[in-house]
Amino acid sequence: MPDIIDTAINAGSFNTLVTAITTAGLDTALKGDGPFTVFAPTDEAFSKLPSGAVEELLEDVIKLRKVLEYHVVSGKINATNLVQSQKLTTTEGKDIKVNTENNVKVNDAYIVTADVEADNGVIHIIDNVLFPE
């Protein structure tokens, strides 16, 4: 089974995310043993950002790393283990909040596809990019 990075590449809808991960130098870590839980925004999610925002992030590697690490949680957490008002500490150090009332959300992003298995963890596909506050 492919790792998280190769799973994202093979899906074909995470080109921006994969580029960002590589630019930030996080690709080696996410190819590591893990396990990791990644809340992965699609290319469409990145396209919702204001014009020039993605390019600006790609030029500021420190900020880019913080944003990307805010999408990653250590350990493998399947959707069935996500509960209302749960807080998950990201590898960036800040928490994301789970809301299970109407579909599953993390902060303001809905999980559109849950439990995409990878060799070193699980990917939950989300419809918005998360930003640490």
Side-chain angles (χ1 to χ4, degrees):
M1 181 180 298
D3 61 42
I4 285 176
I5 298 296
D6 290 337
T7 299
I9 290 169
N10 294 339
S13 57
F14 299 104
N15 297 320
T16 306
L17 179 62
V18 171
T19 297
I21 288 169
T22 304
T23 300
L26 295 173
D27 49 335
T28 303
L30 289 174
K31 284 182 157 289
D33 292 338
F36 305 103
T37 299
V38 177
F39 296 95
T42 60
D43 291 334
E44 187 177 333
F46 277 100
S47 74
K48 293 178 184 179
L49 296 176
S51 178
V54 172
E55 293 77 12
E56 187 179 306
L57 271 175
L58 291 172
E59 290 173 9
D60 186 344
V61 175
I62 293 169
K63 184 176 181 181
L64 178 64
R65 275 187 83 101
K66 287 180 183 259
V67 169
L68 293 173
E69 289 174 347
Y70 192 62
H71 290 79
V72 180
V73 175
S74 292
K76 183 178 177 182
I77 306 167
N78 289 316
T80 54
N81 297 329
L82 296 172
V83 296
Q84 179 62 23
S85 299
Q86 179 179 16
K87 289 184 180 176
L88 302 172
T89 302
T90 66
T91 58
E92 190 270 337
K94 294 189 173 81
D95 292 342
I96 52 177
K97 187 176 179 191
V98 177
N99 181 334
T100 59
E101 285 178 14
N102 297 316
N103 298 320
V104 180
K105 283 177 80 172
V106 287
N107 290 359
D108 64 348
Y110 283 101
I111 295 178
V112 293
T113 304
D115 298 336
V116 177
E117 294 289 329
D119 186 49
N120 59 346
V122 64
I123 299 171
H124 300 299
I125 302 170
I126 58 174
D127 66 350
N128 281 310
V129 179
L130 306 173
F131 287 91
E133 296 173 13

